[in-house]
């Protein structure tokens, strides 16, 4: 019986793998490195867990014993991402991210939004989870488990159009990685706003003003929120989310994103 299940799992993993890309989504060169091979040189500034990522990144364990491929970038393109070692603050709220936003990360996020879904969310969220754990409690997982992971929501009409919310996908993968609770419904977008990318800081602030609300759900006893977005640029979207979360009594908030443009000097 166990052997039959094992064969079935391998077969399902193979079928799932066949839906995934076999070329790097940034440079479009077909993958040639055997799984688990380390890049020739990992520059200074990359955290210690970089080696673990390159040794294990090509598959991620899923519920039911399924294995999901997580190979989306070649070694060279992963190393074109820019690791972040500093913590920045938006007013008094920490904003943490594994990477600084650069051209390569923008390509990855574009793919996550419009084509890649979970095949990109899994490896990115692995980095986000490591960064969050390192910030909150590198040695004690008990502090992490108390946190509720909440994505920056899309408006329902936008989510229907795209099929999924990329921030929600990242948030659910981070929560699965760390064993924290996750809620896609606590924070809602009540107004369909324009894309922030074409607006300056003032325009961005105005665009998202009163765009969010918190649903009154009593089961969320924790006041510890990790607010997840794909990218934090000027921070106006998460600032507005934080404003409404604080108004509703959530006191302890951390912002976690895959990439950020803010730096300690901002
Ligand atoms: Zn590449």
């Amino acid at each position: 019986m166990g052997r039959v299940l094992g064969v079935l799992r391998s077969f399902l993993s193979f079928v799932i793998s066949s839906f995934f890309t076999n070329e790097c989504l940034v440079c479009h060169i077909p993958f040639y490195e055997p799984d688990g091979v380390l890049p020739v040189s990992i520059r200074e500034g990359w955290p210690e867990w970089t080696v673990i990522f390159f040794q294990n990144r090509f598959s991620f364990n899923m519920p039911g014993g399924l294995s999901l491929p997580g190979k989306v970038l070649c070694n060279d393109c992963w190393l074109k991402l820019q690791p972040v070692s500093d913590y920045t603050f938006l007013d008094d709220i920490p904003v943490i991210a594994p990477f600084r936003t650069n051209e390569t990360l923008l390509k990855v996020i574009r793919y996550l939004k419009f084509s890649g879904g979970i095949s990109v969310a899994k490896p990115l969220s692995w980095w986000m989870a490591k960064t969050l754990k390192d910030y909150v409690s590198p040695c004690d997982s008990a502090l992490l488990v108390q946190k509720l992971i909440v994505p920056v929501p899309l408006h329902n009409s936008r989510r229907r159009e795209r099929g999924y919310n990329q921030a929600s996908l990242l948030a659910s993968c981070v929560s699965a990685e760390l064993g924290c609770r996750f809620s896609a419904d606590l924070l809602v977008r009540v107004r369909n706003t324009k894309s922030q990318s074409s607006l300056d800081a003032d325009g961005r602030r105005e665009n998202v003003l009163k765009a969010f609300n918190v649903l009154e759900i009593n089961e969320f006893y924790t006041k510890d929120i990790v607010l997840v977005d794909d990218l934090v640029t000027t921070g106006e979207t998460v600032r507005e989310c934080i404003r409404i979360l604080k108004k509703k009594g959530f006191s302890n908030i951390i912002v976690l994103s895959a990439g950020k443009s803010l730096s300690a000097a901002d």
Side-chain angles (χ1 to χ4, degrees), residues 24-29 31 72-78 80:
C24 171
L25 66 91
V26 170
C27 69
H28 302 292
I29 294 174
F31 294 127
V72 287
L73 296 184
C74 67
N75 283 358
D76 289 348
C77 287
W78 266 114
K80 284 180 197 159

Side-chain angles (χ1 to χ4, degrees), residues 82-246:
Q82 198 183 338
V84 174
S85 53
D86 60 341
Y87 300 125
T88 46
F89 290 84
L90 204 56
D91 306 324
D92 56 338
I93 302 292
V95 179
I96 60 173
F99 303 113
R100 184 149 337 276
T101 304
N102 66 5
E103 265 311 301
T104 304
L105 186 62
L106 286 173
K107 283 181 186 166
V108 174
I109 295 294
R110 215 170 293 137
Y111 189 79
L112 167 71
K113 271 182 171 171
F114 300 109
S115 330
I118 200 156
S119 65
V120 185
K122 270 284 172 186
L124 273 184
S125 62
W126 186 90
W127 283 93
M128 293 164 74
K130 284 277 183 205
T131 309
L132 179 65
K133 188 171 186 331
D134 193 52
Y135 179 79
V136 174
S137 167
C139 309
D140 180 7
S141 298
L143 278 173
L144 271 174
V145 175
Q146 292 164 14
K147 302 210 171 287
L148 180 64
I149 313 279
V150 174
V152 170
L154 278 185
H155 191 263
N156 276 343
S157 60
R158 184 84 62 89
R159 199 183 57 220
R160 273 196 300 271
E161 199 178 291
R162 193 175 291 165
Y164 59 92
N165 171 8
Q166 73 280 359
S168 188
L169 203 52
L170 289 173
S172 68
C173 292
V174 169
S175 80
E177 193 72 45
L178 297 173
C180 311
R181 292 195 311 151
F182 160 73
S183 170
D185 304 318
L186 179 74
L187 194 60
V188 290
R189 196 180 286 241
V190 291
R191 209 155 52 71
N192 196 6
T193 53
K194 283 187 276 188
S195 165
Q196 294 281 71
S197 56
S198 58
L199 303 169
D200 63 14
D202 287 345
R204 284 171 183 243
R205 196 170 308 132
E206 208 168 300
N207 188 35
V208 291
L209 190 66
K210 297 186 180 165
F212 303 98
N213 204 357
V214 169
L215 293 182
E216 306 286 354
I217 302 175
N218 293 331
E219 66 174 288
F220 296 115
Y221 59 87
T222 181
K223 296 292 175 199
D224 277 11
I225 297 281
V226 177
L227 181 64
V228 172
D229 208 353
D230 50 356
L231 298 172
V232 173
T233 308
T234 62
E236 294 307 333
T237 304
V238 288
R239 200 195 296 270
E240 185 59 18
C241 293
I242 291 163
R243 191 183 66 78
I244 189 77
L245 283 166
K246 280 187 169 175

